[in-house]
Every structure is written in C-alpha cells, then in structure tokens.
Amino acid sequence: MNFYKSSILKPYLTTHTLAPENQETPIHHIKRWVTPRKYVYRRNHFSYPTLTPNFFLLSVEGKVKHPLIFNFNTLLSMPSTTAAMVLECSGNKRSYFDPKVYGEQWKDGAISQGIWKGVPLRHLLTLAGLESSVKEVVFEGHDYGPRTDLEGIFSYARSLPLDKALHPDTLIAYELNGKPIPFKHGYPLRLIVPQWYGMASVKWLKRITVIDHEFRGPFQAIDYVYYPHKEDNSEKRPVTNIHVNSTIQQPMPYQLLDTGTHKISGIAYSGEGKIQEVKLSFDGGKTWDSANLKEPYNSPYSWTFWDYTWKVNEKGEYIIMSRAKDSKGNIQPLKAEWNRRGYGYNAIYAIKVKVE
Amino acid sequence: MNFYKSSILKPYLTTHTLAPENQETPIHHIKRWVTPRKYVYRRNHFSYPTLTPNFFLLSVEGKVKHPLIFNFNTLLSMPSTTAAMVLECSGNKRSYFDPKVYGEQWKDGAISQGIWKGVPLRHLLTLAGLESSVKEVVFEGHDYGPRTDLEGIFSYARSLPLDKALHPDTLIAYELNGKPIPFKHGYPLRLIVPQWYGMASVKWLKRITVIDHEFRGPFQAIDYVYYPHKEDNSEKRPVTNIHVNSTIQQPMPYQLLDTGTHKISGIAYSGEGKIQEVKLSFDGGKTWDSANLKEPYNSPYSWTFWDYTWKVNEKGEYIIMSRAKDSKGNIQPLKAEWNRRGYGYNAIYAIKVKVE
C-alpha cells in the first residue's frame, strides 16, 4: 500500500525570478552525467519571445561575399557535430562574493551539462565567404526588452572574436540531448560556444553579422565585463572562458552527520583544460587528499564527477574544502577575484559540517 | 504561435534534501492567501512511512477513563472546525543566523498557509475522560527512523501542555484546502496546533497518550529547544509560539531596479497576536513608514499580505527594512536571538537593492 515511490522524491529548479524567468539547476541532487532537459537552468534577460515562422530562418550577413539565409530544414541536412558540453552562467555562485554584489543571487546551480548537436558555425561562414577585414561575428537573438540602466528596447546580442567563431565546435545547435532544443533554451536554433560562459551561447538565434570592428552592444560592453573595482571601470576585461571550478554536492553545507563513513561527492569543470585532479582538505588547506575522478571524464568540454570516502570517528565541526586543477595548470584560488558584477566566481569550495 | 503561456512560468519548491525530503515553499512568488497544496513546504525527519490500514485508526490512551480507538470515518462524522492557519517550521530563516548554525539552511520559505479542517482534539479527550493527574498529551506519528546523535530508531513524537491540547482550534485534521491531506503532509490524520511552530503539528498521527508527567522524547527534550549558548545548555527553553515576523517578497535581495515606482510587497505573521502594523524603513531604521495591510487580515491564525508603493528617483544603493508588530505588542527585533539550533529567527527583514 505504499503508493509513494522513491521516484516521487524529486528535486526542483530553484526559483530566483519569474519575470524574466531565472531558475537554477538543483545541482546538489543531479547525479547524472547529462542533465535532464527539465533540470537545465533557465537564465533570461527578458520575457520569452513569441515564436514566429521567422525563427526558422537564420541570416548570415555583413562583411561576407555572399549574404545567405539558411532555413531550419537546410541546417538539419548539413554536416553536424555532437558534443557534451557544460553550460555555466558567468553569474553562477555570485551569491558567495564577499562583499556581496548585485544581480541574481545564483548559488551553485546556474550550470548544466547537455549533449548539443548542430552545424559548425565555420561551415556557414565558409559558405558565405569572409571578407579579409573581418574582426568579429555578432549573434542576435529573437529576445528583446528594456534594461534597468539604459532607455530603450534592446535585443540580446553578443559577439565572438573570429578565432572563436571559427572553432570547430562552435555550433548552430538544433538538438539538446537528442531532441529539438526546448523553447526555453533557444528553440529552434541556438549558438553554442564551447569553453565559454553561457552568455556567449545566444538563444533563439536570428541573425549572424560579420563585422570589421569591435561590437559595442550593451550585453558586450556593459554586461559580462569583469570590473575589479567598486567605483571605477579601470582594468576591466571581457568575460570569456569558464574558470576552473568544483562544487561539493554532498554533504550539504551545515549538515549534521553521524560518526562513521560518508561519501563526499561533487563536480569539477573548466573551460579550456581537462580536469586533472580534485583534492579535498579537512584541515583548512594545509594538506590535500585526492578525490576519485569518475568516468567518463575525457570529453573535452564536459564536467567530471568525483567522490571521496570519508571516515570520521571524532565528533566535532569540520570544514571540507574541494579544489580542482585542470590540464592547463589552472587551479582554484582560495578567494575568488572580486568584481563588481559578480562573474566567474571559482574559489575553492568549502562547507562546514558537524559530526555529532 | 506563442505556445508558451505565462502560466508556464511557475515557481518550484526549493530543494534542500531528498532523504529525508526537505523542500521549501517559493515564498517570494506566492501571492495567494492560501498556499496551493503543491507549494506547501515539506519538512521531514525521516523517510516517508508506508501507508497501512493502521493509519486510519487513532488511539487515545494513557491517563484516561475510557481508552478509545477512533477510525477515520468516525472522525469524519464528528463536529468539525475549519480554520486558515499559518504553519511555519521553527527552523525557517535559519540560514540568516550569525554566527551560522547547523541544520537545514532554510531561507524564507519553510512557511505556508492552509485551510485545515478537522475534529477539535478536546472533543476526543472529553469522550475519553481525562484523569485529574494529567499534565501533558503526547502525539506519536507513524514516521520513524535513526537520529545522528543517538543510537536506535525513534518515532516522531511530541507533547503539548494540557491547556494547548484543549485549545478549541487544536485539531485532528483530515482536510487541507478542501481535500484530503496530501500524504506528504500527514494523510490521513494530522495534528494541527494553531499559533505554534510546525514541529507541534504531528503528521500521520498514530497515537495520543495522556500522561501525568513531562514527556522527554528526543524531539521534545533535545530538538526544538532554544539553547542560547554555543557550548552549554543553560537557560534553555522549549520552542512553542511562532514569533512575530515579516518577509519582503518583492523586490528580491540584491535586485537591480530602474528609477521610478516599485511595489514592495510581503507577508507578516505572528503566533498569538494579530498583525497590527507593518512598517518599512529606507534609512537604516531611523524613520518608519506604514505599509498597506491587505484584506483578509482578520483570521486569527493567518498571515497578512502587505504592500507599499515606493517612488525612487535617485540612483544608488538602498536598504529596505520591514518590521511587523502584533496586537500583543510583540515587534520584530533588529537582531534575532541567536540559539545553537537556529530556531525562531525573526529579525527585522532587510534587503539591499541597487537603483541604476
């Protein structure tokens, strides 16, 4: 008569705002290498656009020899690439900055992993033929709306430098996890940029414009910029690659545990490098012990799950720290580099637990 | 062709743990006076019990003249009371204590409001006939399991002093919002104790035992006790009434706003008294301005929604504070009384926003 199966014990997205919709992945409870579609975090600047037939057309224009319009079905028939990729919002973990910063107070879950399939962008650019003066490629989505800091209505638009646009795995994606991309994640066509934070992966892709100068739209030149100082804009630089990072999924911060053996588990990821090691410390960072990296960990853009068996016989309070290092030598710092808009947080992850 | 209606923009419960299930109400997005059943926070000590026919029987035993067993259908046919009541976990807002405390890191959503219907407990106690030596009434649920701090298996059990047990609105409830109580919230029978924090409202009620002494079960004598000191148990006292409290639902903490007019909205509630006023401060508590209390606000155990129209023309950072006062003169303090297990947090609510 137990009609409540364990399958009913499911986590939910964590709601931040609904207008626009910003909800994070329940990352502490996601144990699958590929994030199920319904658990992919939702991050929007505006309310959802209204789907029209135009969404199935994609133009490539600007400094090209042959301006082209591709339709959705044509794209489906072109050579495709499929890859597992982490998508992380650059504001992920923003709530941990000290001093606190304004904006969505993401905890650990503005991150997901998906299997994306699509046409490499460079194939379309080759068909259009780049002019020699080209510097950047601009991507405009169908979503638009007001900003708090400027008068007017703006489309969401971002640019990539030419080399990133020509990266073999920068995709015009049409599938997520083997199905059409959910509308909330950019259906029918979404730009997917490997290694970079999610702001680069423009949803509901409308237009690709090749330009010979630097793009200065507000989502490029105001947002998604690291401002290291509270009051002035000196030393600013653009947000690009995902920083090396790790998150302890279990146990939870401030959890009460009994004495005995506990599994500590988590994720680790980095933009450019492969995760090479994850180490844990129980003594405030004096000594570090290696966690077990779990298969599959060879996908170039994927996250890595890890775990560690912790035997604890002594009651008391413990700080557990995790620190990831990638194949490029990037390693999580003890303190994240503070910046005014709160991007790229990647300090060593630390939780406190009490054994009683 | 817009097949994504705004109704799809729905909030979710915020997941803390799944074993046992602890998920909070998305309180910042709940605008309805009665919380829809699916949004009622879930707070468990153990995994869910297995429903058996015994769940439909309720015994009243101990220091009574006529030990009785009531079955579910008999209870349905008895005189009933229906009331709107706030149910708040005593650990709600625990995450705000400074210094931090261990346990579930609830934010603002371990609170919901429901319309509960059931038989007044005192009716059953009258039928059973109390002996003159009676001091407390013990309520045992069907849920059980291990604890982190003690060896063995424990049922969830709590007691009430006799006067609270005889309160006319202390109910053996069988309906929530006009339907049978959802299993996760105590189906078929749940004790509902008005004015007290939720730990008193024992789910899956199994047995009522009248006793002539003080009940010392671990959920009475160890948990749900205010321990004001970090290291010793002096000055401890039991958790009982819900403290006067308020929460700003909108805007969100650290939200970016434009200049102009914004609605500030929230809830206020108290255990014993009616909410008499909610005041807001924009200058760190030097001056306070009254919020508008919204109807219906006369139910003795319900929360009150309030709002305030804020015109802001000057850019900058603002602290918005809300402070509720009840008809007994209870008022939210500037700092909540710290206690080792983190119960009863009710400091003046304060958020920072930036107008840009």
Side-chain angles (χ1 to χ4, degrees):
Chain A
M1 276 188 78
N2 186 357
F3 49 75
Y4 283 81
K5 303 192 205 118
S6 63
S7 64
I8 288 184
L9 292 175
K10 61 180 186 194
Y12 295 98
L13 294 171
T14 299
T15 309
H16 291 279
T17 64
L18 292 175
E21 187 176 14
N22 285 299
Q23 307 208 59
E24 67 178 88
T25 299
I27 192 70
H28 291 270
H29 308 283
I30 295 291
K31 304 294 162 70
R32 281 188 265 178
W33 193 64
V34 174
T35 310
R37 294 154 51 100
K38 70 173 176 178
Y39 286 132
V40 175
Y41 74 96
R42 301 175 189 164
R43 196 277 174 264
N44 290 282
H45 296 83
F46 305 121
S47 58
Y48 287 105
T50 301
L51 185 70
T52 67
N54 287 339
F55 280 54
F56 297 88
L57 300 174
L58 176 63
S59 68
V60 179
E61 53 196 73
K63 301 291 177 187
V64 292
K65 289 168 190 143
H66 321 287
L68 294 170
I69 295 178
F70 296 92
N71 76 47
F72 184 70
N73 288 328
T74 308
L75 291 166
L76 296 188
S77 68
M78 287 180 165
S80 69
T81 290
T82 301
M85 293 190 198
V86 154
L87 216 60
E88 185 186 21
C89 174
S90 55
N92 194 24
K93 306 194 183 194
R94 175 179 288 136
S95 60
Y96 301 130
F97 274 107
D98 177 26
K100 298 277 280 179
V101 295
Y102 293 90
E104 300 298 327
Q105 295 299 298
W106 300 106
K107 298 189 82 175
D108 310 308
I111 185 169
S112 304
Q113 173 147 295
I115 310 282
W116 294 94
K117 180 180 179 183
V119 182
L121 170 65
R122 67 175 177 179
H123 185 61
L124 306 192
L125 295 177
T126 302
L127 290 175
L130 297 176
E131 293 187 1
S132 60
S133 60
V134 167
K135 274 191 73 173
E136 294 189 352
V137 183
V138 180
F139 304 89
E140 185 185 345
H142 280 281
D143 51 331
Y144 61 88
R147 292 174 56 95
T148 53
D149 59 344
L150 297 174
E151 291 289 325
I153 297 292
F154 300 85
S155 287
Y156 186 72
R158 291 272 315 171
S159 75
L160 289 178
L162 191 59
D163 61 336
K164 195 71 194 179
L166 295 176
H167 188 289
D169 294 324
T170 293
L171 304 180
I172 307 301
Y174 49 77
E175 272 189 15
L176 171 60
N177 300 354
K179 292 185 186 168
I181 299 170
F183 184 77
K184 291 192 169 187
H185 297 294
Y187 177 85
L189 295 171
R190 178 175 188 172
L191 179 69
I192 290 290
V193 182
Q195 301 167 323
W196 281 34
Y197 281 113
M199 75 284 151
S201 294
V202 176
K203 295 190 285 264
W204 309 290
L205 192 59
K206 175 185 187 174
R207 188 180 3 244
I208 296 172
T209 311
V210 179
I211 62 175
D212 60 2
H213 54 277
E214 201 181 337
F215 178 61
R216 302 291 303 160
F219 296 98
Q220 191 82 18
I222 299 176
D223 302 338
Y224 304 115
V225 173
Y226 294 110
Y227 300 102
H229 305 293
K230 183 165 165 51
E231 301 292 351
D232 69 79
N233 291 351
S234 63
E235 299 180 80
K236 69 179 181 182
R237 55 184 209 287
V239 174
T240 57
N241 274 318
I242 293 175
H243 291 157
V244 64
N245 220 330
S246 68
T247 299
I248 297 173
Q249 294 177 290
Q250 296 289 336
M252 296 290 284
Y254 298 100
Q255 193 170 333
L256 293 159
L257 301 171
D258 53 9
T259 54
T261 300
H262 297 282
K263 192 170 95 167
I264 303 170
S265 62
I267 53 171
Y269 50 94
S270 190
E272 272 202 299
K274 256 177 56 181
I275 291 299
Q276 200 174 55
E277 63 170 40
V278 175
K279 292 198 169 193
L280 300 189
S281 177
F282 300 87
D283 58 7
K286 272 176 252 161
T287 64
W288 294 88
D289 200 8
S290 289
N292 166 45
L293 303 186
K294 293 168 82 175
E295 302 268 7
Y297 54 85
N298 274 323
S299 175
Y301 315 118
S302 79
W303 59 23
T304 298
F305 284 94
W306 53 264
D307 61 20
Y308 182 92
T309 301
W310 185 39
K311 284 181 196 154
V312 56
N313 296 319
E314 193 139 349
K315 297 178 182 191
E317 300 179 56
Y318 291 86
I319 295 172
I320 308 174
M321 299 162 92
S322 73
R323 186 186 67 187
K325 185 178 167 185
D326 72 19
S327 54
K328 301 268 180 181
N330 298 306
I331 189 163
Q332 287 181 259
L334 193 58
K335 197 167 159 62
E337 204 179 314
W338 189 90
N339 62 94
R340 193 168 72 228
R341 287 182 180 253
Y343 300 121
Y345 185 97
N346 77 327
I348 287 171
Y349 201 81
I351 62 168
K352 274 179 142 179
V353 298
K354 187 174 181 181
V355 177
E356 61 175 17
Chain B
M1 276 189 79
N2 185 357
F3 50 75
Y4 283 82
K5 302 191 205 121
S6 63
S7 64
I8 288 184
L9 292 175
K10 62 182 183 191
Y12 295 99
L13 295 171
T14 300
T15 309
H16 290 280
T17 65
L18 292 174
E21 187 175 14
N22 285 299
Q23 307 208 57
E24 68 178 87
T25 299
I27 192 70
H28 291 270
H29 307 283
I30 295 292
K31 303 295 162 69
R32 280 188 266 179
W33 194 64
V34 174
T35 310
R37 295 153 52 100
K38 70 175 177 178
Y39 286 132
V40 175
Y41 74 95
R42 301 173 189 165
R43 195 276 175 266
N44 290 282
H45 296 84
F46 305 120
S47 58
Y48 288 106
T50 300
L51 186 69
T52 67
N54 286 340
F55 280 55
F56 296 89
L57 300 175
L58 175 63
S59 69
V60 180
E61 53 195 75
K63 301 290 176 187
V64 292
K65 289 168 189 142
H66 320 287
L68 294 170
I69 295 178
F70 295 93
N71 76 46
F72 184 69
N73 288 328
T74 307
L75 291 167
L76 295 188
S77 68
M78 286 181 165
S80 69
T81 291
T82 302
M85 293 190 198
V86 154
L87 216 59
E88 185 187 23
C89 175
S90 55
N92 194 24
K93 306 193 181 192
R94 176 179 288 137
S95 59
Y96 300 130
F97 274 107
D98 176 25
K100 298 277 282 179
V101 295
Y102 292 90
E104 300 299 328
Q105 295 298 297
W106 302 106
K107 298 188 82 176
D108 309 308
I111 185 169
S112 304
Q113 172 147 297
I115 310 281
W116 293 94
K117 179 179 179 183
V119 182
L121 170 65
R122 67 175 178 180
H123 185 61
L124 306 191
L125 295 178
T126 302
L127 290 174
L130 297 177
E131 293 187 1
S132 60
S133 60
V134 167
K135 274 191 71 171
E136 294 189 352
V137 183
V138 179
F139 304 88
E140 185 184 345
H142 280 281
D143 50 332
Y144 61 88
R147 292 173 56 94
T148 52
D149 58 344
L150 298 173
E151 290 289 323
I153 297 293
F154 300 85
S155 287
Y156 186 72
R158 291 271 316 170
S159 75
L160 289 177
L162 192 58
D163 63 335
K164 196 71 194 178
L166 295 176
H167 187 291
D169 294 325
T170 294
L171 304 180
I172 307 301
Y174 50 76
E175 272 189 15
L176 171 61
N177 300 354
K179 291 185 186 168
I181 300 170
F183 184 75
K184 291 191 170 188
H185 297 293
Y187 177 85
L189 296 170
R190 179 177 187 171
L191 180 69
I192 290 291
V193 182
Q195 303 167 322
W196 281 35
Y197 281 113
M199 75 283 151
S201 294
V202 176
K203 295 190 286 265
W204 308 291
L205 192 60
K206 175 186 188 172
R207 189 181 359 247
I208 296 173
T209 310
V210 178
I211 62 175
D212 60 3
H213 55 277
E214 202 181 338
F215 178 61
R216 302 292 302 158
F219 296 98
Q220 190 83 18
I222 299 176
D223 301 338
Y224 303 115
V225 172
Y226 294 110
Y227 300 102
H229 304 293
K230 183 165 165 54
E231 301 292 351
D232 68 80
N233 291 350
S234 63
E235 300 181 80
K236 68 179 181 182
R237 55 184 209 287
V239 174
T240 57
N241 275 319
I242 294 175
H243 291 157
V244 64
N245 220 329
S246 68
T247 299
I248 297 173
Q249 293 176 292
Q250 296 291 335
M252 297 290 285
Y254 298 99
Q255 194 169 333
L256 293 160
L257 301 171
D258 53 9
T259 54
T261 300
H262 297 282
K263 194 169 94 168
I264 302 170
S265 62
I267 52 170
Y269 50 92
S270 189
E272 272 202 299
K274 257 176 56 180
I275 291 298
Q276 201 173 54
E277 64 170 41
V278 175
K279 293 198 169 195
L280 300 190
S281 177
F282 299 87
D283 58 8
K286 272 176 252 160
T287 63
W288 293 88
D289 201 8
S290 289
N292 165 46
L293 303 187
K294 294 169 81 176
E295 302 269 6
Y297 53 84
N298 274 323
S299 175
Y301 315 119
S302 79
W303 59 24
T304 297
F305 283 94
W306 53 265
D307 61 19
Y308 183 93
T309 301
W310 185 40
K311 284 181 195 154
V312 56
N313 296 317
E314 194 140 347
K315 297 180 182 190
E317 300 179 57
Y318 292 86
I319 295 173
I320 308 174
M321 299 161 90
S322 73
R323 185 187 67 186
K325 185 178 165 185
D326 71 19
S327 54
K328 301 266 181 183
N330 298 306
I331 189 162
Q332 287 180 261
L334 193 59
K335 198 168 157 61
E337 205 178 315
W338 189 90
N339 63 94
R340 193 166 75 229
R341 288 181 179 254
Y343 300 122
Y345 185 96
N346 77 327
I348 288 171
Y349 202 80
I351 63 168
K352 273 179 143 179
V353 298
K354 187 175 182 180
V355 177
E356 62 174 16

